[in-house]
Amino acid sequence: MISILLPWPPTGNHYKKPSGKIWYLTARAKAFHRDALEAVQGVGNPQFGTARLEVKITAYPPDRRKRDIDNLLKVTLDSLQRVGVYTDDAQIDDLQIVRREPRPGGCVVVEIAEVAP
C-alpha cells in the first residue's frame, strides 16, 4: 500500500472550462496536477500499471463550509491517473472516502493498494 498526501482539489466547476466546443483544464486544475506529480514522486513514483486496485481517500476540508464529499473523487482520481499511478481509474474495484475535521488549506490523503487476487 502507498499513501499520497495531496492538496485540497479544485471542484469540478473549477476543473474544466469550455471555449466554444472545446473543454480545457483551468489553471487551478493544472496546478493540482503539478502538485499531484510532486507528491507521487515524493513517495517513490509508484506505478500500479493495470492492476485491480482499492483506494481510500481521507478528506480534510479547508473549512466547515457545506460540501458534497463525492465531488472530490473525479478530480483526485483523474489526476492520479494523469500522473501515471495507474493506467485507468476504471481499475478501482473498492473505493472509500471519509471526511475528517478541517485543516488549514485542506488536503486529501490517498491510500492505494492492489486488490488481492
Side-chain angles (χ1 to χ4, degrees):
M1 179 188 71
I2 58 124
S3 181
I4 304 168
L5 174 64
L6 298 173
W8 190 257
T11 65
N13 292 337
H14 295 107
Y15 187 65
K16 289 184 178 181
K17 295 289 183 186
S19 177
K21 293 183 180 182
I22 298 172
W23 285 78
Y24 65 94
L25 291 177
T26 65
R28 287 178 69 181
K30 290 176 185 176
F32 185 74
H33 290 317
R34 282 191 301 273
D35 291 343
L37 179 60
E38 288 178 18
V40 167
Q41 289 172 339
V43 296
N45 204 29
Q47 297 180 355
F48 289 93
T50 59
R52 306 309 302 173
L53 302 173
E54 56 186 41
V55 176
K56 180 180 180 185
I57 298 174
T58 305
Y60 299 91
D63 54 45
R64 295 194 180 279
R65 282 187 288 172
K66 182 178 174 182
R67 292 180 165 84
D68 292 342
I69 195 169
D70 61 324
N71 287 341
L72 296 174
L73 296 174
K74 180 77 173 148
V75 174
T76 302
L77 298 177
D78 284 356
S79 188
L80 292 173
Q81 176 181 320
R82 185 179 191 98
V83 301
V85 174
Y86 41 78
T87 304
D88 190 325
D89 57 7
Q91 296 165 234
I92 299 169
D93 292 332
D94 183 352
L95 177 61
Q96 300 173 44
I97 186 165
V98 178
R99 181 181 6 232
R100 297 289 186 230
E101 287 298 311
R103 289 187 180 173
C107 64
V108 292
V109 177
V110 183
E111 297 173 303
I112 305 172
E114 287 189 38
V115 173

